[in-house]
Amino acid sequence: MKKFINSVDTLLDESLNGFAKAHADIVQFNQQPHFVKRATPTRSGKVALISGGGSGHEPLHTGFVGLGMLDAACPGQVFTSPTPDQMLEAAQAVENDGGVLFIVKNYAGDVMNFEIAAEMLECPNATVLVADDVSLPKNHSIGRRGVAGTLVVEKIVGAAAEQGFDLAACKALGDKVSANTASMGLALSSCTVPALGKPTFNLADDEIEMGVGIHGEHGRQTQKLGTATEMVEHLINAIIEDLQPEKNSPVLLHINGFGATPLMELYLVYEIAAEFLHRYGIVVMRSLVGNYTTSLDMAGCSVTVSLMDDELLALWDAPVHTASLRWHC
Amino acid sequence: MKKFINSVDTLLDESLNGFAKAHADIVQFNQQPHFVKRATPTRSGKVALISGGGSGHEPLHTGFVGLGMLDAACPGQVFTSPTPDQMLEAAQAVENDGGVLFIVKNYAGDVMNFEIAAEMLECPNATVLVADDVSLPKNHSIGRRGVAGTLVVEKIVGAAAEQGFDLAACKALGDKVSANTASMGLALSSCTVPALGKPTFNLADDEIEMGVGIHGEHGRQTQKLGTATEMVEHLINAIIEDLQPEKNSPVLLHINGFGATPLMELYLVYEIAAEFLHRYGIVVMRSLVGNYTTSLDMAGCSVTVSLMDDELLALWDAPVHTASLRWHC
């Protein structure tokens, strides 16, 4: 295993300390228990947005704490759910008389621990579950995984909370965005979890994992490497089949790198995906290309399509000032 | 070779088309010859800033075209210098009665072709050469390579040009920033150039390339993989030895990923680098952590330290609105 690492035990703390130091104007890092919160206080009555999950997906979620997006994020160890005490203490630290909305990716451990925290929390609270990975069927036994669409939920609900939407309105909006967002990814290579020290799965030189999860979970199938156009077509078709967008639907198109895929390739994927959507009569109104929901050093990418309307577009465009997403600031 | 690619011949155009489409509010792509320029016109009399170089280092330079930074960028094929006609036509397209400043990384092909373009250009022009890679000695026969410090030059001179500095002042400022910026990097793995189809160089499982260039050039030495702290100390010591900063010097600290290194590790590198600088009595005033000057899919990173003063800090903080660097926008 070749990584910048001193020891598996100190990796997360050293990284979070660096993150907080590099962005001291935006975030503060609480060490016991681990959470990251905004450096500046919010308006009284604002709904507090909290997310979290295993580390190794950076910038998700810590990189999205700040004005117009999250109030706090709870990072677990690498690919490991955070614990209820993290969520509870983060919530108590940022709750400001508007209640708390948890944004949770649909993984058993995350869901359970956020549920425990929600039960222990004494202020009004609600939860939005994100399950945008269409590589699994809608009726899958433990449900679909939450992947790169989580960013879209966090950005749009974050803007709404900043603008004064109350807890019920934020929850309804989050559910709506989540239901209208579909993603699918593929891996060209495995990631290497530091504690394991070797690749999580093996792919031959001419194989890819189609429909992979953001922890390297098995996808729809292991298949032969194709041209970029063939591979992106597969992703787009799965998404379109699931979302069933009407002709002329306005959408956000998000191409997300898993960590080791060059930006040059991600823009090529964007070009192909945008062209396929155009052929389907779908109108790409907003775009986001880059490494946002990563899987450590996995090579590959995912495509996310979110159905938009005027309200959602305005909320997407609203100011955001975080370590990794920043505009109109 | 596992990449998102249709063919080596179309890779660059497909990627640039996607880039321009995803950021149509910021840039326009000219196909014959290749250059990217701002989508919106500038104020008459503003110095036009142009950079360029081989592709494969994205977001450098195309991702830095926009308000407060470059006026145009000329991308060559992967790791191949752009040609004089690209620079000449880009300059003619963006020149606006303020003259043209070329910002050039110190590679023989880039330097020669920008010189030819400068000779052919009929308006006042000047060139800033960036040679920040301290892995080579100051008196190296073909000079030091320009690496991640180029971003710092482009950002600071870009802000100055936006604020009305004239050509001579922009040139002097660029030379000053360049002289006060030092970088060094190391590779954990090779990159794979698409046209070659296999890794450029080989490293054993326990080896790193210390002082590597951004095309995978041989560095100071191939050495054993160390702890993150040992490896970062090596980089910082080389930089400090070269820059010779006075005690309490204010600096910008930039940790740059080469493409395949997770953000989690880059922040860990930042934490260690900041701690070493602190021990040297150096004051980190500004920070930038991420993949900005990449080397396709190479794993590894570089550390850049730029000596700052009040003027440079204000220019660094000035508004910038490009595809990949954006604040106070």
Side-chain angles (χ1 to χ4, degrees):
Chain A
M1 175 178 63
K2 279 174 157 182
K3 289 181 183 291
F4 292 96
I5 186 170
N6 286 319
S7 89
V8 169
D9 295 335
T10 59
L11 166 64
L12 182 60
D13 276 35
E14 288 176 282
S15 180
L16 286 169
N17 274 320
F19 171 74
K21 214 173 278 181
H23 305 288
D25 54 329
I26 301 174
V27 295
Q28 285 176 355
F29 170 41
N30 188 79
Q31 195 132 10
Q32 282 295 345
H34 286 75
F35 63 85
V36 168
K37 71 181 183 82
R38 296 192 194 184
T40 47
T42 59
R43 174 183 51 74
S44 173
K46 179 192 165 301
V47 175
L49 256 59
I50 299 175
S51 192
S55 293
H57 306 299
E58 291 72 25
L60 186 85
H61 300 272
T62 49
F64 305 143
V65 172
L67 180 93
M69 220 161 159
L70 300 177
D71 291 272
C74 306
Q77 291 293 325
V78 172
F79 291 0
T80 303
S81 295
T83 49
D85 62 313
Q86 292 178 251
M87 299 147 186
L88 186 63
E89 291 204 28
Q92 288 164 342
V94 299
E95 202 277 327
N96 196 5
D97 291 333
V100 169
L101 184 69
F102 291 126
I103 300 178
V104 182
K105 300 196 300 299
N106 190 31
Y107 297 96
D110 289 5
V111 172
M112 184 177 70
N113 289 352
F114 271 106
E115 270 178 10
I116 294 171
E119 279 170 23
M120 292 169 78
L121 195 59
E122 291 178 351
C123 69
N125 65 80
T127 296
V128 171
L129 205 64
V130 186
D132 55 317
D133 186 350
V134 302
S135 68
L136 298 179
K138 272 186 176 155
N139 58 1
H140 187 265
S141 59
I142 52 166
R144 288 174 163 181
R145 303 176 289 228
V147 291
T150 313
L151 176 153
V152 184
V153 177
E154 293 179 359
K155 171 65 186 82
I156 288 178
V157 181
E162 213 72 61
Q163 290 177 16
F165 282 45
D166 68 12
L167 182 60
C170 284
K171 154 78 176 155
L173 180 70
D175 287 342
K176 172 181 165 184
V177 176
S178 187
N180 286 311
T181 297
S183 303
M184 195 160 111
L186 67 88
L188 300 181
S189 77
S190 173
C191 52
T192 296
V193 178
L196 188 62
K198 57 178 187 162
T200 312
F201 59 95
N202 291 308
L203 286 172
D205 283 349
D206 62 347
E207 281 179 350
I208 64 165
E209 187 63 34
M210 178 60 73
V212 73
I214 56 172
H215 310 90
E217 300 97 322
H218 179 63
R220 290 194 168 190
Q221 57 192 356
T222 307
Q223 63 184 60
K224 292 290 174 199
L225 177 72
T227 64
T229 297
E230 288 163 356
M231 296 191 290
V232 174
E233 184 176 21
H234 195 129
L235 298 177
I236 288 286
N237 284 347
I239 288 168
I240 293 295
E241 193 178 324
D242 192 85
L243 271 186
Q244 297 282 338
E246 290 173 21
K247 206 160 165 120
N248 296 319
S249 292
V251 303
L252 163 74
L253 173 58
H254 172 32
I255 308 299
N256 172 59
F258 285 144
T261 289
L263 204 49
M264 190 178 193
E265 293 177 44
L266 297 181
Y267 280 117
L268 184 147
V269 167
Y270 175 88
E271 168 69 6
I272 298 166
E275 179 58 30
F276 276 118
L277 291 177
H278 178 70
R279 284 193 217 163
Y280 274 110
I282 293 162
V283 187
V284 176
M285 300 288 286
R286 297 293 184 276
S287 305
L288 185 70
V289 182
N291 294 288
Y292 292 99
T293 302
T294 61
S295 183
L296 294 168
D297 53 351
M298 191 155 86
C301 76
S302 60
V303 174
T304 296
V305 175
S306 257
L307 301 178
M308 304 297 272
D309 58 27
D310 288 347
E311 179 189 41
L312 298 180
L313 287 170
L315 291 167
W316 177 259
D317 290 343
V320 61
H321 187 81
T322 68
S324 291
L325 211 62
R326 200 179 299 194
W327 55 69
H328 302 313
C329 37
Chain B
M1 175 178 64
K2 280 176 155 180
K3 290 181 182 291
F4 292 95
I5 186 170
N6 287 319
S7 88
V8 169
D9 294 337
T10 59
L11 165 64
L12 182 60
D13 276 35
E14 289 176 281
S15 181
L16 286 169
N17 275 320
F19 170 74
K21 213 173 278 180
H23 305 288
D25 55 328
I26 302 175
V27 294
Q28 285 176 354
F29 170 42
N30 188 80
Q31 195 132 9
Q32 284 294 346
H34 285 77
F35 63 85
V36 169
K37 71 180 183 82
R38 296 192 194 184
T40 46
T42 58
R43 172 184 51 74
S44 171
K46 179 190 165 304
V47 176
L49 256 58
I50 299 176
S51 192
S55 292
H57 305 299
E58 290 71 24
L60 187 82
H61 301 271
T62 49
F64 305 143
V65 172
L67 179 93
M69 222 159 159
L70 299 176
D71 290 272
C74 306
Q77 291 294 325
V78 173
F79 291 0
T80 303
S81 294
T83 49
D85 61 313
Q86 293 178 249
M87 300 146 187
L88 185 64
E89 291 205 28
Q92 288 164 342
V94 300
E95 202 277 326
N96 197 4
D97 291 333
V100 169
L101 184 68
F102 291 128
I103 299 178
V104 182
K105 301 195 298 302
N106 189 32
Y107 297 97
D110 289 5
V111 172
M112 184 178 70
N113 289 353
F114 271 105
E115 269 177 12
I116 295 171
E119 279 170 24
M120 293 168 77
L121 194 60
E122 290 177 352
C123 69
N125 64 79
T127 296
V128 171
L129 204 64
V130 186
D132 54 319
D133 187 349
V134 302
S135 67
L136 298 179
K138 273 186 175 156
N139 58 0
H140 186 264
S141 59
I142 52 166
R144 289 174 161 179
R145 305 177 287 229
V147 291
T150 313
L151 176 154
V152 184
V153 177
E154 293 179 0
K155 170 67 186 81
I156 288 178
V157 180
E162 213 71 61
Q163 291 176 16
F165 282 46
D166 68 12
L167 182 59
C170 284
K171 154 78 177 155
L173 181 69
D175 286 342
K176 173 182 164 183
V177 176
S178 186
N180 286 311
T181 297
S183 303
M184 195 159 112
L186 67 88
L188 299 182
S189 77
S190 173
C191 53
T192 296
V193 177
L196 187 63
K198 57 177 186 162
T200 312
F201 59 96
N202 291 308
L203 285 172
D205 283 350
D206 62 348
E207 282 179 348
I208 64 165
E209 187 63 35
M210 178 61 73
V212 73
I214 57 172
H215 310 90
E217 300 97 321
H218 179 63
R220 289 195 167 188
Q221 57 192 355
T222 307
Q223 62 184 59
K224 292 290 173 199
L225 178 71
T227 64
T229 297
E230 287 163 355
M231 295 191 290
V232 174
E233 183 176 22
H234 196 128
L235 298 176
I236 289 286
N237 284 347
I239 289 168
I240 293 294
E241 193 177 326
D242 192 85
L243 271 187
Q244 297 282 337
E246 289 174 21
K247 202 155 168 129
N248 296 318
S249 292
V251 302
L252 162 73
L253 173 58
H254 172 31
I255 308 299
N256 171 60
F258 284 143
T261 291
L263 205 47
M264 190 178 193
E265 294 177 44
L266 296 182
Y267 280 118
L268 184 146
V269 167
Y270 175 87
E271 168 69 7
I272 298 166
E275 179 58 30
F276 276 119
L277 292 178
H278 178 71
R279 284 193 217 163
Y280 274 111
I282 292 161
V283 186
V284 176
M285 299 289 285
R286 296 294 184 276
S287 305
L288 186 70
V289 182
N291 294 288
Y292 292 99
T293 302
T294 62
S295 182
L296 294 167
D297 53 352
M298 190 156 85
C301 75
S302 60
V303 174
T304 296
V305 176
S306 257
L307 300 179
M308 304 296 272
D309 57 28
D310 288 346
E311 179 189 41
L312 298 180
L313 287 170
L315 291 167
W316 177 259
D317 290 343
V320 61
H321 186 81
T322 68
S324 291
L325 210 63
R326 202 178 299 194
W327 57 69
H328 302 314
C329 37

